């Protein structure tokens, strides 16, 4: 006769169920080990049992991790007058049985900074909490589910025990000059995606400061440095973003950059409001124009596009960006840059859905307006090669390009993404089989031989557009009216990464 059965769910949390003859009340177990009323020993199911009713203490268990891992530090756990002080082990963790139900405050000092958390203990099971100086948010993608939605990971549900904050509300993009809000507005890197002017090759006025102008100066959006981690299994992939360096996290190569707020203007050297955006230009020509602008300027690269895609998916937890943010200009091309300027919130669409630009975190028309060339990526027979140093960007696969060990394998709506342990930050469509409302509902276009990449799509692609649309069906010297581009800026000391 078992005292209790225990099971672990998909998140690794243990739950307990009473066995026959067992009663769990509060944090105590009462076990009647025989149906007999006397004390005679008897044989039952091959074992010897003595009839007795005996209360046995069974308490909730709390595991506390520190991030970064901090061995041999004091952790204080307190509920009202009950206070426990314990020391972390060599792995920077503490395991303790909790004597009382209710909300417990947890605190420790990490690298000279007091860090706190709370846990609500309500049942007899295992609880896991992380004490961290970092903000870590994550989502879980069930690759077998046709839904475009991902699951938000909480401190309690995260199977890898990395998440440090619970996101309990969903982002609400704005329509026109209306209000919007997002729980991520209080957390870096999202909260740091603000507008700046670049003047004379230097970062200058910030939006809101005297002198800032979207029409007089090149205007960019800063993507703060952030760290990522991706866990992949046969059926599940977890994406994490942290604002600070933690064990196992790497700096994202597309962060700590300034990306053009606007599509590049028809003068080939501007990311300013009120211009017709550039077209009929090849990637090779676009790169040559950036060399005329001085140190730090480049064509937006593949790593930065992947960084924006990762920040979006962790924030919105849904592959369907058109459903979440807006369609983009799927019905008209005759719109100048700055269409979203009247908006007071950083994310949403400017007017009629499908007839106006969208913006994500102040980046206007990241999709749904025109195709946009990406630099730092070349594709040969569907194999993906990347370079993260703009000084070495090329239209050939030179010694500076690395094989990501991923391959494009789609050709219509995306069903799955490729994965590489070394380059887990890349977004590469691996297979098709989705639709405009299932899996990853963005379209793809393939091409053999040596190819380059366009993203974003043009106004004519309708529901095939979106954050992850992919076209590798052109070469570096190809140009067409619906292919534009976006500028990117790095301060000179940050070019090497």
């Amino acid at each position: 006769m078992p005292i209790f059965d225990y099971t672990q769910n998909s998140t690794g949390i243990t739950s307990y169920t009473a066995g026959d003859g067992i009663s769990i009340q509060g944090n105590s177990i009462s076990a009647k080990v025989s149906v007999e009323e006397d004390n005679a020993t008897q044989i039952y199911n091959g074992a010897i049992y003595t009839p007795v009713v005996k209360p046995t203490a069974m308490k909730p268990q709390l595991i506390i991790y520190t991030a970064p891992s901090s061995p041999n530090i004091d952790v204080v756990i307190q509920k009202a007058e009950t206070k426990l002080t314990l020391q972390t082990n060599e792995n920077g963790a503490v395991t303790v049985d909790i004597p009382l139900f209710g909300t417990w405050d947890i605190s420790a000092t990490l690298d000279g900074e007091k860090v706190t958390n709370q846990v609500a203990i309500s049942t007899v099971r295992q609880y896991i909490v992380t004490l961290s100086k970092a903000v870590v948010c994550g989502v879980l993608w069930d690759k077998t589910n046709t839904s475009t939605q991902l699951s938000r990971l909480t401190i309690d549900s995260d199977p890898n025990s990395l998440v440090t904050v619970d996101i309990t509300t969903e982002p609400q993009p704005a329509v026109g000059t209306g209000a919007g809000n997002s729980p991520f507005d209080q957390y870096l890197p999202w909260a740091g995606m603000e507008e700046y002017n670049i003047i004379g090759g230097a970062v200058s006025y910030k939006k809101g400061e005297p002198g800032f102008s979207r029409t007089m100066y090149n205007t960019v959006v800063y993507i703060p440095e952030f760290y990522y981690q991706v866990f992949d299994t046969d059926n599940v992939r977890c994406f994490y973003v942290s604002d600070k360096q933690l064990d196992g996290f790497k700096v994202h190569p597309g962060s700590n950059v300034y990306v053009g707020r606007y599509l590049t203007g028809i003068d080939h050297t501007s990311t300013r409001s009120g211009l017709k955006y550039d077209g009929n230009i090849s990637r090779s020509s676009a790169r040559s124009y950036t060399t005329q602008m001085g140190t730090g300027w480049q064509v937006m690269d593949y790593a930065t596009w992947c960084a924006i895609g990762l920040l979006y998916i962790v924030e919105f937890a849904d592959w369907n960006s058109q459903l979440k943010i807006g369609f983009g200009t799927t019905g008209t091309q005759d719109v100048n840059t700055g269409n979203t300027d009247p908006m007071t919130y950083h994310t949403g669409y400017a007017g009629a859905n499908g007839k106006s630009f969208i913006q994500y975190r102040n980046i206007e028309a990241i999709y749904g307006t025109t195709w946009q060339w990406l630099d730092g990526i070349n594709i040969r027979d569907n194999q993906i090669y990347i370079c993260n140093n703009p000084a070495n960007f090329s239209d050939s696969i030179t010694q500076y390009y690395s094989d990501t060990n991923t391959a494009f394998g789609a050709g219509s709506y995306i069903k799955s993404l490729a994965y590489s342990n070394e380059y887990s930050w890349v977004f590469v469509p691996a297979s098709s089989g989705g639709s405009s409302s299932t899996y990853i509902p963005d379209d793809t276009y393939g091409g053999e031989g040596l190819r380059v990449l366009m993203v974003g799509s043009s106004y004519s692609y309708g529901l095939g557009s979106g954050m992850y649309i992919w076209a590798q069906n052109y070469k570096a010297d190809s140009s067409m009216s619906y292919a534009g581009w976006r500028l990117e800026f790095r301060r000179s000391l940050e070019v090497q990464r």
Side-chain angles (χ1 to χ4, degrees):
M1 178 188 65
I3 294 178
F4 60 83
D5 295 320
Y6 74 93
T7 58
Q8 285 191 323
N9 62 26
S10 60
T11 66
I13 302 300
T14 303
S15 60
Y16 300 93
T17 303
D20 293 339
I22 304 300
S23 173
I24 298 179
Q25 295 182 347
N27 61 354
S28 296
I29 294 176
S30 296
K32 188 174 184 180
V33 297
S34 171
V35 297
E36 302 296 328
E37 295 301 328
D38 59 30
N39 289 325
T41 298
Q42 65 171 323
I43 304 297
Y44 178 73
N45 267 2
I48 299 176
Y49 290 87
T50 299
V52 64
V53 176
K54 181 178 177 61
T56 303
M58 184 65 193
K59 299 176 181 178
Q61 184 184 72
L62 175 63
I63 300 176
I64 303 169
Y65 294 103
T66 54
S69 178
S70 303
N72 305 316
I73 66 165
D74 287 340
V75 176
V76 177
I77 310 167
Q78 187 166 3
K79 178 183 184 297
E81 301 301 317
T82 303
K83 181 177 180 180
L84 308 174
T85 302
L86 306 102
Q87 192 170 80
T88 57
N89 60 23
E90 66 276 11
N91 298 316
V94 165
T95 301
V96 60
D97 290 339
I98 299 299
L100 298 171
F101 291 129
T103 299
W104 289 76
D105 296 313
I106 307 167
S107 63
T109 299
L110 304 181
D111 296 333
E113 180 180 332
K114 185 176 180 180
V115 179
T116 62
N117 207 333
Q118 280 188 334
V119 60
I121 305 293
S122 57
T123 61
V124 179
R125 65 174 179 86
Q126 187 183 83
Y127 295 80
I128 298 175
V129 170
T130 299
L131 279 176
S132 176
K133 293 171 59 177
V135 170
V136 181
C137 300
V139 291
L140 182 149
W141 176 34
D142 179 353
K143 293 181 281 186
T144 67
N145 193 338
T146 62
S147 172
T148 63
Q149 294 182 349
L150 290 77
S151 300
R152 291 205 182 280
L153 293 175
T154 65
I155 295 171
D156 205 30
S157 70
D158 180 12
N160 301 298
S161 301
L162 296 175
V163 168
T164 62
V165 295
D166 286 339
I167 302 298
T168 57
T169 60
E170 292 302 312
Q172 299 295 326
V175 177
T177 58
N181 62 81
S182 170
F184 291 83
D185 289 343
Q186 61 184 313
Y187 301 126
L188 289 172
W190 296 271
M193 293 179 67
E194 298 183 275
E195 297 178 49
Y196 293 83
N197 289 147
I198 306 296
I199 305 174
V203 179
S204 184
Y205 305 117
K206 179 181 176 180
K207 183 185 175 185
E209 294 179 349
F212 176 85
S213 174
R214 288 166 166 169
T215 57
M216 292 179 59
Y217 307 118
N218 282 327
T219 304
V220 294
V221 176
Y222 181 52
I223 301 177
E225 183 168 271
F226 71 87
Y227 303 84
Y228 75 95
Q229 191 162 179
V230 179
F231 286 90
D232 187 74
T233 65
D234 288 343
N235 296 326
V236 167
R237 187 173 300 180
C238 295
F239 300 92
Y240 298 93
V241 168
S242 172
D243 66 336
K244 295 183 178 66
Q245 177 72 70
L246 298 173
D247 295 340
F249 281 77
K250 298 178 182 178
V251 62
H252 198 292
S255 66
N256 195 20
V257 303
Y258 297 83
V259 63
R261 164 164 163 75
Y262 306 107
L263 294 165
T264 306
I266 200 168
D267 64 354
H268 311 305
T269 57
S270 296
T271 171
R272 292 186 289 116
S273 178
L275 302 177
K276 182 173 175 59
Y277 54 84
D278 207 0
N280 278 320
I281 189 170
S282 67
R283 190 183 74 171
S284 299
S285 296
R287 189 190 300 129
S288 69
Y289 281 117
T290 66
T291 63
Q292 303 172 22
M293 299 179 65
T295 302
W297 288 104
Q298 63 171 87
V299 178
M300 187 174 82
D301 62 30
Y302 175 67
T304 299
W305 177 74
C306 288
I308 296 168
L310 178 58
L311 293 174
Y312 162 79
I313 199 60
V314 172
E315 180 172 8
F316 280 87
D318 198 310
W319 294 115
N320 196 337
S321 55
Q322 287 187 300
L323 177 65
K324 289 297 179 178
I325 297 178
F327 292 142
T329 49
T330 56
T332 179
Q333 188 181 27
D334 189 23
V335 183
N336 288 343
T337 62
N339 183 242
T340 61
D341 283 358
M343 296 182 66
T344 58
Y345 191 64
H346 52 64
T347 298
Y349 56 90
N353 199 6
K355 301 290 184 179
S356 60
F357 286 5
I358 63 96
Q359 63 177 4
Y360 173 63
R361 293 276 161 188
N362 294 309
I363 304 172
E364 182 181 85
I366 192 64
Y367 66 81
T369 296
T370 190
W371 288 101
Q372 301 167 50
W373 297 113
L374 294 183
D375 219 338
I377 179 172
N378 290 321
I379 306 165
R380 182 170 60 202
D381 296 331
N382 294 322
Q383 288 294 125
I384 310 301
Y385 297 83
I386 61 171
C387 174
N388 287 334
N389 186 343
N392 297 323
F393 286 170
S394 171
D395 294 329
S396 302
I397 298 175
T398 68
Q399 70 269 30
Y400 301 110
Y401 279 73
S402 301
D403 186 349
T404 63
N405 294 312
T406 61
F408 172 83
S412 59
Y413 285 97
I414 306 168
K415 183 177 181 181
S416 66
L417 297 173
Y419 180 78
S420 163
N421 284 324
E422 186 175 0
Y423 299 97
S424 58
W425 53 268
V426 303
F427 284 96
V428 177
S431 68
S432 53
S435 69
S436 62
S437 61
T438 60
Y439 294 106
I440 303 174
D442 293 341
D443 217 342
T444 61
Y445 302 87
E448 299 294 328
L450 184 60
R451 301 287 171 163
V452 296
L453 180 61
M454 297 189 302
V455 297
S457 85
S458 75
Y459 65 97
S460 61
Y461 283 78
L463 293 180
S465 182
M467 189 73 75
Y468 306 98
I469 192 167
W470 174 292
Q472 61 175 56
N473 48 339
Y474 290 100
K475 299 181 180 180
D477 59 356
S478 302
S479 62
M480 62 288 298
S481 62
Y482 49 82
W485 58 297
R486 189 180 298 270
L487 283 161
E488 183 174 323
F489 180 80
R490 303 174 190 281
R491 288 174 286 198
S492 58
L493 295 178
E494 298 165 355
V495 169
Q496 301 291 335
R497 57 177 180 176

